[in-house]
Amino acid sequence: MKEILNEDEPIYIQIAKGIEDEILQGELIEEMQIPSTNELAKWYQINPATVLKGINLLVEREILYKKRGIGMFVMRGATQTIKEARKESFKMIVMSQLFQEAKKLGISKQELMDMIQNSEEMDR
């Protein structure tokens, strides 16, 4: 967990996203134990209940699971579950906004594709 918390969204959501990011980046692998609620609370200097709320969100989404008396672990298939959820979110939010703005500006599908292609080339 390296990110600095901000005021843009609830802290527990940021904690959950941070754990998801670490899973996607391979820093936390499937079946690996994550830091404890108290460790995360100390790291971020926040209430352990807030951390627990973020962790419970990931448990509900079947990203993490609890081994009684041991701690929380990354579930098998978590990486794929996160990718699928984020792709859907990307499609629903980012792509929708992109297409709406392109339509307002009279940008054709081909122009949009060319813009994306050119942006990819600049990022290399």
Side-chain angles (χ1 to χ4, degrees):
M1 306 289 311
K2 299 173 186 107
E3 295 179 26
I4 296 172
L5 302 175
N6 60 60
E7 296 179 12
D8 295 340
E9 60 188 343
I11 293 172
Y12 75 96
I13 299 284
Q14 294 177 63
I15 297 296
K17 283 184 178 178
I19 293 170
E20 283 184 346
D21 287 344
E22 288 193 10
I23 293 168
L24 289 174
Q25 294 163 358
E27 295 170 25
L28 292 172
I29 59 173
E30 295 176 4
E31 297 299 327
M32 181 181 202
Q33 186 172 8
I34 68 164
S36 73
T37 301
N38 289 332
E39 289 171 328
L40 292 172
K42 186 175 180 181
W43 175 263
Y44 286 111
Q45 299 178 344
I46 60 174
N47 188 316
T50 303
V51 174
L52 184 59
K53 191 171 179 180
I55 288 173
N56 283 337
L57 183 65
L58 295 175
V59 170
E60 290 171 16
R61 293 175 42 209
E62 299 183 342
I63 305 297
L64 300 177
Y65 70 96
K66 182 176 185 170
K67 284 187 181 178
R68 191 174 203 92
I70 300 175
M72 301 301 290
F73 291 78
V74 178
M75 188 170 283
R76 286 181 193 227
T79 303
Q80 190 60 35
T81 301
I82 295 166
K83 284 181 180 180
E84 288 172 9
R86 288 199 177 183
K87 282 180 184 179
E88 188 61 29
S89 176
F90 182 81
K91 183 174 77 174
M92 298 298 292
I93 297 169
V94 177
M95 296 301 291
S96 176
Q97 291 173 348
L98 176 70
F99 291 136
Q100 288 175 13
E101 189 65 18
K103 187 175 181 178
K104 286 182 210 172
L105 298 173
I107 298 172
S108 70
K109 287 181 183 178
Q110 186 57 52
E111 285 177 293
L112 194 54
M113 294 298 291
D114 291 343
M115 288 176 172
I116 292 170
Q117 180 98 25
N118 291 335
S119 293
E120 281 181 355
E121 290 169 5
M122 284 192 273
D123 285 342
R124 290 181 192 165

